[in-house]
Structure formats: C-alpha cells, structure tokens
Amino acid sequence: MGDRPLEGKTPLKAAEKPNMDEISREGINGIMDVISPGIVPGSDTAHLHLLGYGHEKYYPGRGVFEALGAGIELRSGDVAFRANFATVDDRMTIKDRRAGRKGSKELEKAIDGMMIDNIKIIFRNTTEHRCVVVMRPLEDALSARVSDVDPHAEGEKIQKCRPLNGGTEEIKTSKAVNEFVKRSYEILSEHPVNRERIERGEAPANIVILRGAGKYVKVEEIEERWGFGGACVAGASLYKGVAKFIGMEVLKVEGATGRADTDLKAKADAAIDALKRKEFVFIHVKATDNFGHDGDFEGKTEMISRIDSQLIGRIMDHASADYIVLTADHSTPVSIRRHSADPVPVAIAGEGVRKDDVEDFDEFSAAHGGMCRIRGKDLLPILSDLMGYYRMYGV
Amino acid sequence: MGDRPLEGKTPLKAAEKPNMDEISREGINGIMDVISPGIVPGSDTAHLHLLGYGHEKYYPGRGVFEALGAGIELRSGDVAFRANFATVDDRMTIKDRRAGRKGSKELEKAIDGMMIDNIKIIFRNTTEHRCVVVMRPLEDALSARVSDVDPHAEGEKIQKCRPLNGGTEEIKTSKAVNEFVKRSYEILSEHPVNRERIERGEAPANIVILRGAGKYVKVEEIEERWGFGGACVAGASLYKGVAKFIGMEVLKVEGATGRADTDLKAKADAAIDALKRKEFVFIHVKATDNFGHDGDFEGKTEMISRIDSQLIGRIMDHASADYIVLTADHSTPVSIRRHSADPVPVAIAGEGVRKDDVEDFDEFSAAHGGMCRIRGKDLLPILSDLMGYYRMYGV
C-alpha cells in the first residue's frame, strides 16, 4: 500500500478511506521498516518479518511457500521449486515462458508421481501456467542450493541446473532437476493436449522450467512462538504458503483471487467467521502491489478505497475483535514500479493502546504517531503483549 | 512509571510534576523500549539494559542480584538463591510460604556457616521472611541449572531440587540443595524461637525454601565499560544487587525501603552527597511499580507527584550535576497489573543536548521528542558520549 509522493500525494493520501482513518484516529500510529531501513523486502521475506520470523533464520526459499500455498503437505527434507509450463523449440530455446498462460489438469497428471532414482516427484499446476515441483527424497538427502533452469527471458536457452557449491546433495539434486526437465519435455511434447493446441495454432506447454528452490524444514509454529494461533485469508498462494509454513490455518475463500477482481466482501466474511474461533486472523490484499508494479496511480488509489469500504469497513462493522492492526508488507511506488524500502504506515487500535493525535492513515501522518518507527518483526511481539500472551524476560 | 491510558490519562499525565516537566522542557525527549519493542522486561533484565549490559550476555539469574543486594561479597563460582522462611507441616506441605512474614536474626545464625560436603553455606535473612542462600564450592564447581524447591503456592508439597540437564555439577548442586532444605527443617523445627512462636499461636519459620538459582561470574565493571564509575541509591535489594554486579558503589540510605513509605528526601540527599565524589549516580524508586501491580491509579499518581517534589526537585535544587536523565525501567499499567512492553518516556537535560519542543514528561509527549524511539541499552552510550567518555569506532 505504501508509496512515494507524486506532486505531494501518494495513493493512500488521495484515496477515500474513512475506515482506515478511523483506525488511525482511534489507535496508535507509526512507520515501520518491514525488514530494516533501506532494505527492500520481497513479499515472502516481508511476511515472515510481519509474522515475527526473521528471514535470516527462517527463510526457506520461495518454492517452499508456493508448494505450501498450493496445499501440498511438505515433509522435512522436501525440496520445492516454483515452475512454469513453458514453450520451447527443439533446440531448447524459450519461445514462451508461460506457454500461452494456460494450465492443464491432464498435463499435471501426466507428470505428477514421476520417480527419478529414489526421488518422488509431486507436481501441481496451480494457476494458469504456474506450477510447483516438489522433490521428496526417499533415501539420500537433497539440497536447495542449485541454480534455476528458467532463464527468466524469452529467446534464451533453458539453463542446466548446477550445484551452487558442489556438495554431494547439491550434485544429486541438480542431476535430478535436469532429468526431470528432460522427461517433462519427452512426456509433454508427445501429449494429446499439446497436439491439439498445436493444431489450434496455440503454444504447446511442452516443458516444465524450474526456479526458486527451497528446502522445507518444520519451524516453531506461531502459537508456540507468540502464544496465539491464527488463520489466513489471502488470494495469492505465496501468502497462504507463508501462513501455512508457520502453522496457521489457511482458509478457502471463494472469489479471493490475488488480483483486482478479488471478492473483498467474501474475504471480509471469511475473516469475520474465522474470528469466532481463532484469536488472530491475517488478511492480505495483493492488488495494490500489482497497480504499483503497473505504475497505475489511479488504479492503486481506487483499490485502496475499495479495500476500505468493502473489506475494512465490513470487518469493523461485523467482527468481534479486540485489536485491529492495519499495515502494508512493503511500498511499491507507482513512480518506480518496483518494491522499495520506504517504510510503511502502521496503526493499532484497541483497548489500552496509547492513542495519539494522528487522524489519517497514510505515510506522512503515520510518521508523527506515538509508535515512532518500528520494524516489521516488532509487530507480533507488540501484539502478543497487548493480547496478554507476553513472555517476561527476567523477573 | 510508564502506563497505558485510562480514559485518555496515565498516572504520569495526571500527576503534578513541575520538576519532571522542567527536565522535559529543558532537554531532549523520546520513548524507549527497555529491551526491544513488544518484549516485557523483568526488573532485573530491565536494569541490566538501562545500565548498558544486554541480558542475553550478562544475566546471571535472580539469586545473584539478591545476594549482592544483601551485601554478600560473592566470588566467581558461587551459586546464589532467593529463599524464604516458610511454614510446613510434617508431610512437607506448605502452610505459609512466608512464615507469617517474620524474620529472625537468631534463626539466621542457626543456619549461616553450615557445611554440606565441601560447600560452604552463607545464609542471610534480608527483610521479613526473605532470605538469601549462597553455596560457595570449596572444591568441585556447582551449577545454577537446577529447579526450584519453592512450589510457589500454599497447600503444595515442597519440591525436590532437580538437575535441569543432568551434568555432574547440576547433580552435585541439586543434592546439596536438598540436603540444605532437610537440615534447615531439622534445625529450625527444634529451635527455641519457633517453639515460642508456636506457643503464641504463630506460624513457625520451620524450613527454608529456595528458588531463582544464579551463578556469579565477575563482569566488566561500569567504569571499564562506559568510562565512569557510579553509585546507586535504592531501597529494594534487587536494584542494589544489579548495581553491585556491575561494580557500582551501593550507598546505605537510612529510610530507603523500596516501598511507598520510603524516605525520598533521604535518597535525594544521599545522591546529592554522592555526586560530590562520583560522576554517575543511579537513583531508583520502586513504589510506582507496586501501585501498578495493585491496580491503584490514584496511589501511583500521588507517588509520582511525591517523587517529583521530594526527590527530583530537591536534587535539581541542590545537586551539582551536568546531566540529568529521567526514565522508567518498564511500564506496569494499572489496568493489567503486570509489567508490559509499552515503551517508557525518557528525557535527558544538560549542556549540548538537542532541546526539543516537548513540555511535559509523559508517555504521549515523549513520543514527539527529538530522540524518537531508542532502546534501553542505548542510554549509557548516549550518556557516555555527552559526558565525554566516548569511544570512537574507527578514525
């Protein structure tokens, strides 16, 4: 949600957002470096910090979050990758990194369950061309320290997966990845689904390219760490994956898409319902970030107003919650169309907070608030103290 | 001193405190997380941080501070415990954890100096039923990693002291603790002081129960660490113990009790006198915390006003000091009657500080001050820089 000013205004300053402003007015405000000042957070590391897990210790690699977000039950030692259905020519040059943005359950089935030596392959086609590959070692351990197969650009050849340092586990893993890619090509290029696509003049999904390896290790769950369990309401799989990674319940919400067309009312209702049985509900809306990446000031501004009325207002009217925390996982300024390190505003309302004089929820007003400047990983400890789940250090 | 607002006010906001406000007005202000945001400090860890010693590295266990605060000269390797005179029945069930809140110099003498194998026992009855036990190993080393004997509740049996991990030193220590408790019962239950108490219908102090083991290791002294030595003015033994632990002189102040009846003028005078020969004097007042634990808003407010006039005003009028720092070791909100992680206000007045616009010393005004938000362990480095005892990093 955070941004840099254009002619003095950010989307947050420009938006109509009476409900967000009410949270600021009733609560305590501040600005927050989600990781630390000047450090640009990725969406995954940002959420780890916001949920009280420093990425230095807990970041498992993006593939793990995507696999968990896709609903795969990982076991310690599994190595997970983000993957795409892609289109290559017979010289292994990428024609379309996204294979016409189309997925296929039949193609998924043709690959899922494959065995490579003693490694079991779990393969899911999640949305459109996006896939997840999990390598489950039945004997010797694998490593996530291997390079990407995906060249991240069209017209480039697919890359050989290489061990980053050269240990036994890395060599074994990179060999398995290369074998997987080769076999995916063999299976997919002959598959009837692709023959039909070619006949219709479409790009065949004739290979699977991998990136973002991550090794799953079970971590201390949120309830153990902060005293309360929680549920997650999100559209995009990454956020669900982070939530699952730390032991939160991931709610299925019909219409939550992670795009601007997401059903904000359905997300609000899922949260309101979850709050009847969970002490902590985390709600994520992705679309403001997308508008930032697109450089669309108006779109981002309107999205913020929609979030205010359809999501936040609804929650404030119907949920029974002692505390409400409003913040962003990072800034994505429309002027630069990428994540930035600009701190995000944060407001906490509820019993006992030191209400300050801030009247608007935006990047500028928040800097005058009573919380001054905190870090992302301070947020859950502050909340756990307010909720009474503190641990005292010493006596 | 810190609190959360009740109908918009904290005791600090409600109190008459012209002298504190003058320090804020003349100085630079901020809010301070004594450990870090969201982390609830105990009184002992809080003071370590305020004096520039992170508890992660320097916390020795509570028993050490109590023993030092009671005036015992510890040697490296000593294991110290907090202890109570208690009343048990002949099945070792606790009837009164505090033995009628009464102490006895005669009972102290009957136990002090006991030998258990090659361990010398140093025993002090400090205030009321409260005691300190120090085990000084004359040969093999002891460990503080042993469990409490004190069950922390009446109607419960006393606990066997157990080694927490099971190493040789832990086993030796736990055996010595159990032997000590057994012998304390044998000695005390037959003692004339207790026979008389029983005849008068009072609870006999017929056993000593231990908790909070800590092993003493000498640490870098304050003068070595920050450049200046110091003296401590406090009523309660814990604060004296922390000061002693880091090599400060602990002043004997008649009438300093650590309770609301403490003689604030005597504490002021002791500080004024000490400032003639010490560069740094640390003054602690305990009673505001007690009022917080009791949920007594009025009592806490009045105590702050008394501290302002009888202690701070007197020091400002009569002491020759270049700098005055005013802060709290943690918040104890009257609404929740426990320590909380809410940051405390901090003000520093003296030559060269960047005077800001803050006019009142309280949790809300301080958040607008020029120091913004700092941590407890930043305070002594800031002070040492102002005092000219800085160490420059690099050239």
Side-chain angles (χ1 to χ4, degrees):
Chain A
M1 220 164 14
D3 215 298
R4 292 179 182 173
L6 281 173
E7 291 167 16
K9 287 216 168 185
T10 58
L12 261 177
K13 271 180 92 82
E16 274 289 306
K17 46 170 180 47
N19 294 299
M20 295 188 191
D21 292 342
E22 188 179 329
I23 295 170
S24 280
R25 211 162 46 243
E26 296 300 320
I28 187 169
N29 298 265
I31 54 173
M32 181 167 70
D33 299 289
V34 178
I35 296 180
S36 60
I39 301 303
V40 180
S43 295
D44 45 9
T45 54
H47 277 85
L48 280 178
H49 281 261
L50 289 179
L51 294 164
Y53 293 74
H55 76 279
E56 307 84 350
K57 180 168 175 192
Y58 290 102
Y59 187 65
R62 178 75 173 247
V64 166
F65 296 140
E66 295 290 342
L68 290 168
I72 300 172
E73 294 291 334
L74 293 182
R75 298 184 193 163
S76 282
D78 285 355
V79 173
F81 302 79
R82 301 175 79 187
N84 279 4
F85 281 131
T87 310
V88 287
D89 65 17
D90 53 13
R91 299 178 61 174
M92 294 296 120
T93 299
I94 299 273
K95 294 293 164 191
D96 184 349
R97 273 188 72 243
R98 299 181 180 85
R101 289 197 168 270
K102 282 177 74 173
S104 160
K105 278 289 145 192
E106 281 174 78
L107 296 183
E108 174 188 286
K109 270 186 212 157
I111 289 175
D112 184 36
M114 184 193 294
M115 291 295 300
I116 296 174
D117 298 330
N118 290 305
I119 301 162
K120 185 181 169 189
I121 302 294
I122 301 164
F123 181 77
R124 291 285 180 283
N125 175 210
T126 51
T127 55
E128 302 180 322
H129 57 283
R130 297 182 197 93
C131 304
V132 169
V133 177
V134 174
M135 296 195 158
R136 175 163 295 164
L138 303 183
E139 286 178 17
D140 308 329
L142 299 175
S143 167
R145 295 198 49 77
V146 296
S147 67
D148 289 354
V149 170
D150 185 345
H152 298 270
E154 270 130 38
E156 301 279 324
K157 290 211 169 185
I158 66 165
Q159 304 291 304
K160 276 265 175 248
C161 179
R162 291 179 207 286
L164 294 183
N165 290 332
T168 316
E169 296 177 7
E170 293 180 17
I171 292 168
K172 181 180 165 73
T173 309
S174 57
K175 277 187 184 162
V177 169
N178 291 324
E179 175 67 17
F180 171 82
V181 174
K182 179 167 159 274
R183 286 211 225 161
S184 80
Y185 179 72
E186 290 164 5
I187 294 166
L188 295 175
S189 49
E190 300 301 320
H191 199 282
V193 166
N194 277 321
R195 289 197 186 150
E196 284 165 32
R197 285 195 190 174
I198 291 167
E199 275 169 31
R200 287 198 303 271
E202 292 175 4
N206 62 3
I207 199 162
V208 177
I209 53 177
L210 288 73
R211 68 188 193 277
K215 186 167 177 173
Y216 177 71
V217 179
K218 194 167 160 39
V219 301
E220 185 184 29
E221 295 200 348
I222 183 169
E223 186 157 3
E224 199 182 337
R225 190 168 175 82
W226 300 119
F228 46 83
C232 163
V233 175
S237 64
L238 174 65
Y239 312 99
K240 299 182 197 172
V242 175
K244 184 89 195 218
F245 181 65
I246 63 167
M248 292 173 78
E249 182 185 339
V250 176
L251 301 176
K252 282 202 170 69
V253 183
E254 200 71 44
T257 61
R259 299 185 305 265
D261 66 1
T262 196
D263 187 339
L264 291 168
K265 285 184 187 164
K267 292 177 85 166
D269 289 341
I272 292 161
D273 185 61
L275 277 166
K276 293 173 187 156
R277 54 199 174 75
K278 289 283 183 183
E279 289 179 276
F280 174 67
V281 175
F282 158 67
I283 309 163
H284 182 264
V285 181
K286 170 76 176 154
T288 44
D289 176 56
N290 299 339
F291 284 115
H293 283 291
D294 295 342
D296 183 348
F297 190 100
E298 282 306 314
K300 189 167 172 180
T301 303
E302 280 163 28
M303 190 71 212
I304 290 170
S305 294
R306 278 186 52 213
I307 293 168
D308 187 83
S309 60
Q310 294 173 16
L311 179 71
I312 298 177
R314 199 172 174 90
I315 287 170
M316 288 167 72
D317 287 345
H318 299 290
S320 101
D322 293 326
Y323 292 96
I324 187 159
V325 179
L326 180 59
T327 191
D329 58 334
H330 53 80
S331 298
T332 310
V334 295
S335 55
I336 55 171
R337 300 181 178 213
R338 61 157 174 90
H339 295 193
S340 79
D342 300 276
V344 297
V346 54
I348 307 177
E351 181 63 31
V353 302
R354 292 178 181 164
K355 186 174 168 335
D356 56 33
D357 300 331
V358 174
E359 305 214 324
D360 301 291
F361 183 77
D362 62 59
E363 300 88 345
F364 302 84
S365 309
H368 298 293
M371 257 191 287
C372 300
R373 186 168 186 154
I374 63 169
R375 298 201 178 184
K377 69 179 171 188
D378 298 332
L379 197 57
L380 266 269
I382 289 171
L383 199 55
S384 80
D385 177 40
L386 287 169
M387 289 168 70
Y389 290 109
Y390 66 103
R391 269 177 230 172
M392 198 160 80
Y393 284 67
V395 285
Chain B
M1 220 164 13
D3 215 299
R4 293 179 183 174
L6 281 175
E7 293 169 12
K9 288 218 169 183
T10 57
L12 261 176
K13 268 180 93 81
E16 275 289 307
K17 45 168 182 46
N19 294 299
M20 295 189 191
D21 292 343
E22 189 181 329
I23 296 171
S24 280
R25 212 163 45 244
E26 296 301 319
I28 186 169
N29 298 266
I31 53 173
M32 182 167 70
D33 299 290
V34 177
I35 297 182
S36 62
I39 300 302
V40 179
S43 295
D44 45 10
T45 54
H47 277 84
L48 281 178
H49 282 261
L50 289 179
L51 294 164
Y53 293 74
H55 76 279
E56 308 83 351
K57 181 167 175 195
Y58 291 102
Y59 188 65
R62 177 73 175 246
V64 165
F65 295 138
E66 295 289 342
L68 290 169
I72 300 171
E73 294 291 334
L74 293 181
R75 299 184 192 163
S76 281
D78 285 355
V79 173
F81 302 79
R82 302 175 79 185
N84 280 3
F85 280 130
T87 310
V88 288
D89 65 15
D90 53 13
R91 300 178 61 176
M92 294 296 121
T93 300
I94 300 272
K95 294 292 165 193
D96 186 348
R97 273 188 72 241
R98 299 179 181 85
R101 289 198 167 272
K102 283 177 72 172
S104 160
K105 279 290 144 190
E106 282 175 77
L107 296 182
E108 176 188 283
K109 271 185 213 159
I111 289 175
D112 185 36
M114 185 193 294
M115 291 294 301
I116 296 174
D117 298 330
N118 290 305
I119 300 161
K120 184 180 170 190
I121 303 295
I122 301 162
F123 181 76
R124 292 285 180 282
N125 176 205
T126 51
T127 55
E128 301 179 323
H129 56 283
R130 296 181 198 94
C131 305
V132 169
V133 177
V134 174
M135 296 194 159
R136 175 163 295 164
L138 305 183
E139 287 180 16
D140 308 330
L142 299 175
S143 167
R145 294 199 49 77
V146 296
S147 68
D148 289 354
V149 170
D150 185 345
H152 299 269
E154 268 130 40
E156 302 279 324
K157 292 212 169 184
I158 64 164
Q159 304 290 303
K160 276 261 175 257
C161 179
R162 289 178 208 287
L164 294 182
N165 290 332
T168 316
E169 296 177 6
E170 294 181 15
I171 293 168
K172 181 180 166 72
T173 310
S174 58
K175 277 187 184 162
V177 169
N178 291 325
E179 176 67 18
F180 171 82
V181 174
K182 180 167 158 278
R183 286 211 226 159
S184 80
Y185 179 73
E186 289 164 5
I187 293 166
L188 296 175
S189 50
E190 301 300 320
H191 198 282
V193 166
N194 276 323
R195 287 199 187 146
E196 284 165 31
R197 286 194 190 174
I198 291 165
E199 274 169 32
R200 288 197 302 270
E202 293 175 3
N206 63 4
I207 200 161
V208 177
I209 54 177
L210 289 72
R211 68 187 191 279
K215 187 168 178 172
Y216 177 71
V217 179
K218 193 166 162 39
V219 301
E220 185 184 27
E221 296 200 348
I222 183 169
E223 186 157 2
E224 199 182 337
R225 192 169 174 82
W226 300 121
F228 47 84
C232 163
V233 175
S237 64
L238 174 64
Y239 311 100
K240 298 182 199 172
V242 175
K244 184 90 195 203
F245 181 64
I246 62 166
M248 292 172 78
E249 181 184 342
V250 176
L251 302 176
K252 282 203 171 68
V253 184
E254 201 72 42
T257 61
R259 298 185 305 264
D261 66 2
T262 197
D263 187 341
L264 292 167
K265 285 182 190 166
K267 292 176 85 165
D269 290 340
I272 292 162
D273 184 61
L275 277 166
K276 293 172 188 158
R277 51 198 176 77
K278 289 282 183 183
E279 291 181 276
F280 174 67
V281 176
F282 158 66
I283 309 163
H284 183 263
V285 181
K286 169 78 176 153
T288 44
D289 176 55
N290 299 339
F291 284 116
H293 283 291
D294 293 344
D296 184 347
F297 189 100
E298 284 306 314
K300 188 167 172 178
T301 303
E302 281 163 28
M303 190 70 211
I304 291 169
S305 294
R306 278 187 51 214
I307 292 169
D308 186 82
S309 59
Q310 295 173 17
L311 180 71
I312 297 177
R314 198 173 175 89
I315 287 172
M316 287 166 73
D317 287 344
H318 298 290
S320 103
D322 294 326
Y323 292 97
I324 186 160
V325 179
L326 179 60
T327 191
D329 59 332
H330 53 79
S331 298
T332 309
V334 295
S335 56
I336 55 172
R337 301 182 176 212
R338 60 159 175 91
H339 296 192
S340 80
D342 299 276
V344 296
V346 54
I348 307 177
E351 182 60 30
V353 301
R354 294 181 183 161
K355 186 172 166 339
D356 56 31
D357 300 331
V358 174
E359 306 215 323
D360 301 290
F361 184 77
D362 64 57
E363 301 88 343
F364 300 83
S365 308
H368 298 296
M371 258 190 288
C372 299
R373 186 167 187 154
I374 64 169
R375 298 204 177 182
K377 68 179 173 189
D378 299 332
L379 197 57
L380 267 268
I382 289 170
L383 198 56
S384 81
D385 177 40
L386 287 169
M387 289 168 70
Y389 290 109
Y390 68 101
R391 268 176 231 173
M392 196 161 79
Y393 284 71
V395 286

